[in-house]
Amino acid sequence: GPLEEMSLPLFFGWFLLSSVQDKVRCTSMDFLKTLDTLEAFKKHLSDFTGKAEKEVDLEQYFQAKGTLHCTTKFCDYGKAPGAKEYAQNTTVKELYGSAFELSLSALFVTPRTVGARVSLTEEQLLLWPADAEEEAGSTSLPRGSRAHITLGCAEHVEPVQTGLDLLEILTLQQEGQQGEPIEEMELGSLTYYGEGRWLLTLREPICTPACFSSFYG
Ligand code: A2P
């Protein structure tokens, strides 16, 4: 019946404390603002605009969507494969509503999305679905590689793309592509991976409190 259909959320995940959300958003905005002014970025501007001479305001280019979180399992109200099994998992039930510290280890930008990479602890990995990476077509990356926070999406891009963009960069790294080191910024080191893919590895990871819960929408 309709009540049963409502019993599974749109997704499970870690939800950032609201005061920290503002801080993370500011850090992300500052990064976009700085990236925008770099000669190296301007050189590859056509990745974003399609036309070399056009300008782009990255802060306008990406639209923020909703509350900041790191999705563990997308359930689609029960329609997604494995949704019911995940919701019934003992660890998921046990840790539901508990507080965690998430570690954001990098920021990344592509022509489609901007996001933060989340480095999961062993305990946090217990809440990570076994097939999250495989589902996205990555079979050889370690579990948890896809963990991220979507900070913004370009027009007509769905947030699911952010994790795929992160996996794409990590796959290049795994294949031995070191990328082009661009410069040391205040926040960390910036690397270019071609096709508009930028990675800022944070010197100091951003630690943020987050509650493991679910979103119904
Ligand atoms: P993300 O976790 O990258 O932010 P939507 O608003 O499109 O329904 O998505 C709700 C949330 O679920 C978003 O956080 C989104 O992406 C995530 N999400 C949507 N579709 C999927 C999917 N197929 N696999 C994993 N996560 C998804």
Side-chain angles (χ1 to χ4, degrees):
L3 270 179
E4 263 162 29
E5 276 163 36
M6 267 308 283
S7 67
L8 287 181
L10 181 60
F11 62 89
F12 284 87
W14 289 284
F15 295 80
L16 271 60
L17 206 72
S18 63
S19 57
V20 192
Q21 289 196 36
D22 296 337
K23 196 195 148 209
V24 174
R25 278 207 187 88
C26 281
T27 306
S28 153
M29 282 298 187
D30 283 347
F31 171 50
L32 291 180
K33 217 181 274 177
T34 310
L35 185 62
D36 229 350
T37 63
L38 297 181
E39 280 312 314
F41 182 77
K42 288 181 185 158
K43 196 172 111 193
H44 298 288
L45 202 62
S46 59
D47 296 337
F48 284 79
T49 60
K51 280 196 204 118
E53 72 276 14
K54 256 174 79 181
E55 292 211 350
V56 62
D57 180 347
L58 285 181
E59 284 175 282
Q60 305 271 314
Y61 184 90
F62 294 111
Q63 283 136 37
K65 290 181 186 173
T67 162
L68 295 187
H69 65 272
C70 173
T71 304
T72 53
K73 176 69 186 173
F74 180 70
C75 292
D76 200 10
Y77 307 110
K79 283 180 282 194
K84 202 170 165 200
E85 291 73 13
Y86 184 85
Q88 287 172 349
N89 179 283
T90 322
T91 315
V92 169
K93 287 202 269 191
E94 224 166 75
L95 295 177
Y96 193 83
S98 337
F100 288 82
E101 278 258 299
L102 289 187
S103 171
L104 317 189
S105 53
L107 300 178
F108 56 94
V109 173
T110 76
R112 299 164 296 277
T113 64
V114 50
R117 182 180 187 190
V118 179
S119 295
L120 300 177
T121 63
E122 288 298 319
E123 191 199 18
Q124 290 162 359
L125 278 172
L126 296 174
L127 295 169
W128 194 251
D131 59 353
E133 284 72 30
E134 282 159 42
E135 196 192 81
S138 299
T139 48
S140 57
L141 287 169
R143 282 189 61 224
S145 297
R146 189 179 175 178
H148 69 279
I149 294 167
T150 297
L151 296 169
C153 295
E155 219 181 341
H156 309 305
V157 174
E158 296 294 326
V160 64
Q161 185 62 44
T162 319
L164 308 181
D165 284 357
L166 173 59
L167 288 175
E168 208 177 277
I169 294 172
L170 298 180
T171 301
L172 291 174
Q173 286 181 339
Q174 198 194 35
E175 287 168 351
Q177 291 200 41
Q178 272 146 33
E180 185 188 334
I182 301 297
E183 66 176 63
E184 290 302 317
M185 298 170 68
E186 210 176 300
L187 284 170
S189 41
L190 180 68
T191 310
Y192 181 60
Y193 285 92
E195 295 175 24
R197 297 169 293 202
W198 299 84
L199 180 74
L200 177 73
T201 307
L202 298 175
R203 207 180 308 285
E204 296 280 344
I206 301 172
C207 284
T208 143
C211 176
F212 178 65
S213 181
S214 61
F215 182 84
Y216 282 82

